[in-house]
Amino acid sequence: MNVHTLTIVGVGLIGGSIGLAARQRGVARRILGVGRQKSSLERAQSVGAIDEGLLDVNAAVHRAEIAVFCTPVERIAEQVRSAATGCSPGTLLTDAGSTKGAIMRDLEGRLPAGIAFVGSHPLAGSEKRGPDHADADLFEGRLVVVTPSLTTDPLALERTLAFWRALGARVRIMDAGEHDRALALTSHLPHLLASALAGILPPELHDLTATGFRDTTRVAAGDSSIWTGIFAQNRDAVLAALRRLDDRLAQFRCALETGDTTSLDTLLAQAKEIRDALGS
């Protein structure tokens, strides 16, 4: 794939990594970055993630052949709708949002003819923020879930898949609702749990936290405002995941209260088997 102009809206860790990967792999001849602060755009340019930084989303997207929206999930649909008016026919718009259902619903049937939006979610990243932490190899071998709708143009879908593959990623097509239910268990609930665990730690115990506590709560260091939007957009699926967790916690609680070490060992062994199957 060779894109004349790639626009990245939001040049933090994910957006910056897209820019670095596109440059290193020769995916785009020119890379534009959009941000709300000149300082972050200047930093993204200095690390080589973008060629030019702009504050105006629409102006930058209108110059693009492909534009990727890497902003908080609650902003993506509005930004896409606004920018789509004025895009050249054939412009491909996609995103990197951790929720898909609400975004896809908000955009279905609301874009100009000839302008396609195809939802995407790269399963990559960390709790770190900003272009300073961007990595050209962030998507290498990582999975990107692509969520077309029933009316998605097949050519736009193929271009989206080709774009992420060109950055080194594996791709998987999923229904947006299926994606959100799955990610509620594999991503959103773990973040909620890490935040809950970190939140109950009293200050006097800080120096007693070792690797286990710090590894378990690492993702709680992520940007709280971003996760507020994710939880709000995927509320029903996260609540369903919480109910599944409640059931499992109740089993642990019952085993402890009754001194049932056999059940306790079974629960722990089941968890170990599943975790071992995931690999290191």
Side-chain angles (χ1 to χ4, degrees):
M1 170 172 278
N2 191 289
V3 179
H4 183 274
T5 302
L6 169 66
T7 290
I8 302 167
V9 183
V11 288
L13 171 68
I14 296 296
S17 296
I18 290 172
L20 288 176
R23 184 181 306 284
Q24 178 174 290
R25 294 167 174 270
V27 173
R29 281 177 272 177
R30 185 159 185 80
I31 304 170
L32 308 180
V34 183
R36 293 186 293 176
Q37 298 179 343
K38 287 185 178 181
S39 58
S40 64
L41 292 171
E42 290 170 353
R43 188 60 194 153
Q45 193 167 355
S46 71
V47 301
I50 61 175
D51 296 304
E52 180 183 353
L54 297 90
L55 299 174
D56 188 328
V57 175
N58 291 0
V61 174
H62 293 169
R63 293 167 58 183
E65 184 179 336
I66 296 177
V68 188
F69 291 77
C70 305
T71 47
V73 291
E74 68 272 17
R75 296 185 201 155
I76 290 174
E78 182 181 353
Q79 289 177 325
V80 170
R81 284 197 305 268
S82 175
T85 301
C87 284
S88 300
T91 301
L92 173 63
L93 310 176
T94 188
D95 73 320
S98 184
T99 63
K100 296 268 72 78
I103 294 170
M104 299 298 293
R105 286 191 297 272
D106 285 348
L107 293 175
E108 185 69 19
R110 302 183 66 180
L111 300 185
I115 309 301
F117 174 83
V118 183
S120 301
H121 178 205
L123 306 188
S126 77
E127 74 282 3
K128 295 181 173 60
R129 298 179 61 195
D132 288 325
H133 300 288
D135 180 359
D137 296 321
L138 185 66
F139 309 107
E140 181 68 37
R142 303 298 289 272
L143 183 66
V144 175
V145 178
V146 177
T147 59
S149 72
L150 294 175
T151 60
T152 296
D153 175 63
L155 179 58
L157 174 59
E158 287 304 318
R159 290 176 67 200
T160 305
L161 299 174
F163 173 74
W164 289 110
R165 287 178 179 133
L167 299 187
R170 299 178 292 117
V171 294
R172 177 176 174 180
I173 298 173
M174 291 181 73
D175 170 77
E178 181 187 2
H179 165 277
D180 287 358
R181 290 187 292 274
L183 269 292
L185 273 173
T186 64
S187 174
H188 306 163
L189 182 61
H191 192 99
L192 188 152
L193 290 175
S195 298
L197 183 57
I200 65 171
L201 181 71
E204 62 269 21
L205 298 185
H206 285 193
D207 63 344
L208 294 177
T209 58
T211 305
F213 189 93
R214 292 172 184 268
D215 285 350
T216 303
T217 59
R218 175 184 58 81
V219 296
D223 188 335
S224 60
S225 63
I226 289 176
W227 280 96
T228 298
I230 290 171
F231 291 145
Q233 282 215 344
N234 204 24
R235 180 186 64 182
D236 291 345
V238 173
L239 286 171
L242 270 172
R243 287 191 288 271
R244 291 183 63 171
L245 177 66
D246 287 341
D247 291 343
R248 180 51 61 111
L249 289 176
Q251 295 176 49
F252 271 103
R253 185 178 296 109
C254 181
L256 287 168
E257 288 175 345
T258 61
D260 185 352
T261 56
T262 299
S263 293
L264 189 60
D265 185 69
T266 298
L267 291 167
L268 292 170
Q270 288 174 350
K272 173 176 168 50
E273 182 179 359
I274 292 171
R275 183 60 184 87
D276 287 347
L278 298 178
S280 59

